[in-house]
Amino acid sequence: MKRQNALKEYITSYKDYVVIPSIICCHETGLIIDGHHRYHTLLELGAEIVPVTKIKYLSKTIRTHNQEELALSKEDIMSTIMTKSMLAPKSTIHEFLDEQNNWKPIILLSSLCEFKLP
């Protein structure tokens, strides 16, 4: 909640608009992969449309943690969410494999979007 409040304060500190990364979701299920705080903050601020980037979550080029022993299977993550349960905050660190075979934070797949305050 602390991060969400800080984000809300940041967004509302701008007069007309702010630029933020889109929410990253699974293209099949709509599961939010990255951007939970942005999503809930934008809804709280009255957004009718939330910018989304859809990805193939089950792709082998996406991993759930950079430490093998801490990684959760994507199937377990999806089934947990489908039962309306929540994982502990920061229990995953989603990354994607770039064209040079380097793992990068998944937020880099987001588009930058202009959000106008209602």
Side-chain angles (χ1 to χ4, degrees):
M1 196 62 150
K2 185 177 181 180
R3 292 184 75 196
Q4 190 170 328
N5 288 337
L7 180 59
K8 182 178 178 183
E9 193 173 303
Y10 167 74
I11 291 173
T12 57
S13 71
Y14 287 84
K15 299 285 187 236
D16 298 320
Y17 69 91
V18 64
V19 175
I20 59 170
S22 62
I23 310 303
I24 297 178
C25 293
C26 172
H27 81 290
E28 290 181 3
T29 65
L31 171 73
I32 296 175
I33 310 302
D34 185 77
H36 293 87
H37 292 102
R38 290 188 301 271
Y39 174 76
H40 291 289
T41 300
L42 292 176
L43 290 182
E44 188 177 322
L45 290 172
E48 293 182 17
I49 298 174
V50 176
V52 172
T53 299
K54 294 182 178 182
I55 63 169
K56 290 185 179 183
Y57 185 52
L58 295 179
S59 167
K60 293 182 183 198
T61 61
I62 296 173
R63 69 181 181 186
T64 63
H65 210 289
N66 56 10
Q67 296 178 30
E68 185 71 29
E69 65 276 7
L70 298 177
L72 299 172
S73 78
K74 294 175 196 168
E75 292 79 9
D76 285 346
I77 292 169
M78 291 172 68
S79 65
T80 299
I81 301 304
M82 297 305 173
T83 63
K84 306 285 187 210
S85 300
M86 294 295 290
L87 295 170
K90 303 299 176 192
S91 56
T92 60
I93 299 174
H94 285 94
E95 295 179 317
F96 73 97
L97 193 61
D98 72 8
E99 293 175 354
Q100 291 78 36
N101 287 322
N102 298 309
W103 290 101
K104 303 285 183 161
I106 204 158
I107 194 170
L108 293 176
L109 297 176
S110 292
S111 300
L112 291 179
C113 303
E114 176 183 1
F115 175 71
K116 294 184 180 187
L117 296 171

